[in-house]
Amino acid sequence: MSKSKPCAVTAFTSRLCEAGGEVLAPTNPYEIARFRTRYGVGVIYRGKRGETWNAEALSAREHLEAQKGSLAPVAVKGRRKDRATVEALITRDGSNCFFCGSALEGDVTVEHLVAVAHGGPNHISNLLLAHAQCNQAAGHLSGAEKVAMALRLRSTGGAL
Ligand SMILES: [Zn+2]
């Protein structure tokens, strides 16, 4: 057997690897294979009744069988996370811009109240939704100045 492909655990993961998937180390003895693709982390388990494939693994297999091209885990992961953050913020704050108070309508950016550069955490408690333009205008302000800017914009009908 050739050792040139360290990720070639089985014929399947070998093909997965060629399509841009990332083979990961199994986390327990029941795992035959664990890998990351654009569908998320796929796992194939060995159990009493044979092999079990999780949904992510099945999606990756379908993708390979349909020869749909690259399986690489690209930016999909980040975008999914961003979407989840935006949805959580809309649930908490509604779908208006923090600064000007008008509807976001698809022009949505996630802003830190206290900038990361000022020691602000990446936690949702420090995040808010804003228009790209409002976000940019608030860029270098402190948390207190951002709140003041929001109050000013809202009282003047949202004009920057
Ligand atoms: Zn705005």
Side-chain angles (χ1 to χ4, degrees), residues 15-35:
R15 281 170 63 209
L16 186 106
C17 211
E18 279 161 21
E22 249 172 66
V23 176
L24 309 172
T27 60
N28 66 61
Y30 302 102
E31 290 182 15
I32 298 169
R34 170 176 283 264
F35 44 87

Side-chain angles (χ1 to χ4, degrees), residues 62-83:
E62 273 170 31
H63 184 107
L64 275 181
E65 282 168 359
Q67 299 190 312
K68 289 198 225 164
S70 174
L71 264 174
V74 284
V76 169
K77 203 179 150 209
R79 281 205 295 273
R80 269 190 198 149
K81 193 177 158 237
D82 290 349
R83 207 177 306 146

Side-chain angles (χ1 to χ4, degrees), residues 4 20 82 84 93 103 114 116 119 122 150:
S4 62
D82 290 349
D93 300 340
V114 179
V116 175
N122 232 333

